[in-house]
Amino acid sequence: MTFETLEVSVDDGIATVRIDNDPVNAIDQQMRYELADAVDILREDRVRVGIVTGRPDVFSVGADVGLFEEAQEWTTDEFRSNSRILGGAFDAIESMEKPVLAAIDGTCVGGGLELALACDVRISSPDATLGFPEHNIGLIPGLGGCSRFVHLVGPGTAKDLIFSGELVDGERGREIGLIERVADDPESAARAYADDLLEQPPQALGLAKRVVNAARDTDTQTAGVLESLAQSTLLETDDHREGITAFREDRDPEFTGE
């Protein structure tokens, strides 16, 4: 599979999706389709952890303004159909049963930040630029910038930053809950994190992700039932038995995903 706006590689169970669309990594129509193809690679069994990143100076500025000019000729049905391509890729990243990390350096705004929001953990440089400037063209963040953002920062902060279009750096992003980790070299930090995750039981990581997402999106009682069901499934895995044995033998476990 070849890409023109992305670089996609898989190395020892870690898939890296690098946005590479000069000059500012704008999400144009071609990248929408290529991101959907990249998600298919992330889903492959050989991939245990995904990393989404950009370049040191720019993660992504989001949608190409030219795309919105083109969209003036679309019907609302055509607009929603095109949006579903990108939204489906974001939803797939969020729902797949494996960790996906966002390594953010430079500018990460609009749709670029919405892509990062679909990931499980965001690692940012201290001076990255983060935010939603969509109001400058009379729009709102439309692919998770409202719906996912509010779960991370709360309704008041979400509305404040969307209303004002204020851009924040990585340190401020961590303070408000948008960013989980800050590192001078986000990609190297993400790779080290991914290496650590390769040592963990894959099914436990995948089910933890699904249960936490469910707890965010549903009531506590329903989420608790899912949590219990997930735990009962994991109790029957070889990885669980290996973990117990390794503990008793005072050694590191060797998880296989079985």
Side-chain angles (χ1 to χ4, degrees), residues 91-102:
D91 290 345
I93 290 171
E94 184 177 44
S95 63
M96 67 177 60
E97 286 189 14
K98 59 187 70 176
V100 182
L101 315 175

Side-chain angles (χ1 to χ4, degrees), residues 13 22 55 75-76 111 115 120 150 154 164 169 185 189 194 198 202 208 223-224 231 255:
D22 284 336
R55 298 197 305 263
T75 66
T76 56
L115 170 57
D120 300 300
V150 68
S164 67
D169 62 18
D185 186 340
L198 291 179
Q231 190 77 305
F255 297 120

Side-chain angles (χ1 to χ4, degrees), residues 214-250:
R216 177 199 64 194
D217 297 334
T218 191
D219 62 275
T220 303
Q221 184 174 6
T222 301
V225 171
L226 295 174
E227 190 173 37
S228 179
L229 290 172
Q231 190 77 305
S232 67
T233 299
L234 294 171
L235 284 168
E236 298 300 319
T237 62
D238 290 342
D239 278 349
H240 171 60
R241 286 185 280 272
E242 163 63 8
I244 294 294
T245 301
F247 178 82
R248 292 299 186 191
E249 295 177 355
D250 194 25

Side-chain angles (χ1 to χ4, degrees), residues 89-169:
F90 292 177
D91 290 345
I93 290 171
E94 184 177 44
S95 63
M96 67 177 60
E97 286 189 14
K98 59 187 70 176
V100 182
L101 315 175
I104 303 167
D105 209 349
T107 302
C108 178
V109 298
L113 184 52
E114 288 175 314
L115 170 57
L117 289 176
C119 298
D120 300 300
V121 175
R122 284 150 293 280
I123 304 172
S124 168
S125 63
D127 56 355
T129 302
L130 312 162
F132 293 111
E134 280 84 348
H135 73 290
N136 288 327
I137 57 171
L139 296 175
I140 65 170
L143 285 173
C146 293
S147 54
R148 289 189 177 99
F149 192 43
V150 68
H151 288 293
L152 291 174
V153 305
T157 298
K159 286 183 282 189
D160 180 24
L161 293 180
I162 292 169
F163 289 170
S164 67
E166 178 186 355
L167 303 180
V168 300
D169 62 18

Side-chain angles (χ1 to χ4, degrees), residues 1-8 17-21 27-41 85-86 89:
M1 190 178 294
T2 59
F3 298 90
E4 294 185 16
T5 66
L6 306 173
E7 294 178 4
V8 182
V17 178
R18 184 183 310 281
I19 306 169
D20 186 23
N21 193 25
I27 301 176
D28 56 20
Q29 191 73 334
Q30 181 165 348
M31 190 191 292
R32 288 171 179 247
Y33 286 100
E34 291 192 359
L35 280 169
D37 290 338
V39 166
D40 287 337
I41 294 175
I85 298 167
L86 190 58

